[in-house]
Amino acid sequence: LQEALYLDFSCIKLRISKRLKSDVLLGKNGVHIKDIKGQRDVEIQFEDSTDENSMQDCVVSGQPDDCKSVLDEILRRLSGYEVVSMPVDSRTAGLIIGKGGASIKSLQEGLQIRAETRGTPWVIFGPKHDVREFLLRLQLRFGVATASAGQE
């Protein structure tokens, strides 16, 4: 006589920006991911990626209701963030960054954004409102046309 045990199990795969993974989902010492997981019976793993466009798979597995709850929490957290890519020529980049980074630091003052300015395109990411405020400051100060500056 054999017994079979069938578990009610779910697996959800999300494709997310690597940039937002560390800031929004993991946090320092995994504080955010622990909070997201909470008391839920799930595993949250990030699969290695060879994707050149900075995306990575996040796999949530476990009890169906817990997986859905974790998915809802991840989407809630990600919905408040934005990633913007913008081409910037080297002459304009020098003006925006300024001597010793002083100019770009003043543009970022009071905002919780990150700006990856090595090469082109530049990638700006962080909370939506802060990203849009940064793009608006960039447009007003340097006349750099940005697709979403000032939009809400």
Side-chain angles (χ1 to χ4, degrees):
L1 179 65
Q2 292 183 347
E3 289 184 355
L5 177 62
Y6 294 94
L7 299 176
D8 198 7
F9 184 80
S10 286
C11 183
I12 299 170
K13 185 180 279 194
L14 300 165
R15 186 151 259 237
I16 62 168
S17 163
K18 288 179 183 178
R19 291 174 179 89
L20 294 180
K21 172 190 141 187
S22 60
D23 287 3
V24 180
L25 298 183
L26 293 179
K28 189 174 183 178
N29 297 321
V31 67
H32 296 320
I33 203 75
K34 290 174 190 170
D35 184 46
I36 291 169
K37 186 175 177 182
Q39 299 300 312
R40 299 174 182 109
D41 187 18
V42 295
E43 290 296 321
I44 303 170
Q45 298 178 339
F46 295 93
E47 296 181 345
D48 290 334
S49 174
T50 57
D51 192 347
E52 306 239 345
N53 66 7
S54 300
M55 300 298 283
Q56 188 168 18
D57 290 334
C58 172
V59 179
V60 180
S61 56
Q63 297 296 317
D65 288 344
D66 288 342
C67 286
K68 182 176 180 336
S69 180
V70 165
L71 174 65
D72 290 344
E73 179 63 17
I74 288 172
L75 294 176
R76 184 189 70 75
R77 289 175 184 236
L78 290 174
S79 70
Y81 282 76
E82 187 165 22
V83 178
V84 175
S85 168
M86 56 184 273
V88 178
D89 65 68
S90 60
R91 186 184 78 67
T92 306
L95 290 173
I96 295 170
I97 293 171
K99 188 173 183 177
S103 181
I104 197 162
K105 286 176 187 172
S106 72
L107 288 171
Q108 292 175 301
E109 190 172 327
L111 304 177
Q112 295 179 345
I113 64 148
R114 284 190 172 175
E116 293 180 1
T117 59
R118 286 197 167 98
T120 192
W122 282 11
V123 177
I124 314 299
F125 59 100
K128 280 183 183 180
H129 182 270
D130 287 355
V131 168
R132 292 175 183 177
E133 175 63 25
F134 176 80
L135 295 175
L136 182 60
R137 292 176 185 181
L138 194 60
Q139 186 176 30
L140 293 173
R141 188 160 170 193
F142 296 99
V144 174
T146 58
S148 62
Q151 296 177 1
E152 287 257 333

